[in-house]
Amino acid sequence: MKTEPDTFSIDDLKTRKVEPWDGVRNYQARNFIRAMNAGDAVMIYHSSCAVPGAAGLGKIAGAPRPDPTQFDPANAHYDAGSDPSDPRWTLVDVRYVRKLRRVITLDAIKALPKLGDFALIRRGNRLSVLPVTDTQWQAILALE
DNA sequence: GCCAACGTTGGC
DNA sequence: GCCAACGTTGGC
């Protein structure tokens, strides 16, 4: 799961302990959120910053649920077209697990030989929530 | 349903 | 700040 550290970093998650991951407004990312289960492991990735890369680990704290910000006209992520009886957008609550000892940079991840098809390093990748296979997960964490 | 214009993401 | 990628919007 990507986040811009200037807005919400792994340190912020550490302070908050659990954070509702709201504001995702991309159908593909939403579908990945809907496929999540409580207890699933997540890697927290810092994007749009000086050193993009994996910064920490978390886990999903509960079942996916409607994102309340979609119904709040004052919220930047308000969606007037979302029907409260069938909410369009979903969030999960993410619990802090730990920071990585150092940021595993995008460069280092790209240099891994056996990632296979990985949405994070596809050209023009813009997905804010994307799946990581066991193989990818272990290969990345082995760089810590 | 096509496609140009526009907006956003995110690395550099 | 620039620009490539790509999703969304809206005119036709």
Side-chain angles (χ1 to χ4, degrees), chain A residues 101-102 104-105 108-110 112 138-144:
Chain A
R101 287 194 292 276
R102 58 192 175 79
I104 299 171
T105 66
I109 293 170
K110 282 179 176 169
L112 285 167
Q138 286 164 24
I140 293 165
L141 284 193
L143 298 176
E144 188 182 3

Side-chain angles (χ1 to χ4, degrees), chain A residues 102-124:
Chain A
R102 58 192 175 79
V103 171
I104 299 171
T105 66
L106 179 60
D107 276 350
I109 293 170
K110 282 179 176 169
L112 285 167
K114 291 183 180 169
L115 284 185
D117 185 30
F118 188 26
L120 185 70
I121 57 175
R122 271 186 220 143
R123 270 161 47 95

Side-chain angles (χ1 to χ4, degrees), chain A residues 29 31 43 46 54 68 73-74 76 83 86 90 96 103 138 141:
Chain A
N31 292 342
M43 198 173 288
H46 283 172
D83 176 357
D86 183 20
T90 305
Y96 175 80
V103 171
Q138 286 164 24
L141 284 193

Side-chain angles (χ1 to χ4, degrees), chain A residues 10-49:
Chain A
I10 187 68
D11 290 311
D12 295 318
L13 183 60
K14 183 176 185 177
T15 303
R16 299 287 293 256
K17 295 186 173 60
V18 179
E19 181 73 4
W21 216 263
D22 59 21
V24 174
R25 295 293 183 271
N26 170 283
Y27 286 103
Q28 212 180 339
R30 180 206 69 181
N31 292 342
F32 289 134
I33 286 174
R34 288 184 175 179
M36 291 176 175
N37 294 293
D40 283 354
V42 298
M43 198 173 288
I44 305 299
Y45 176 91
H46 283 172
S47 66
S48 294
C49 58

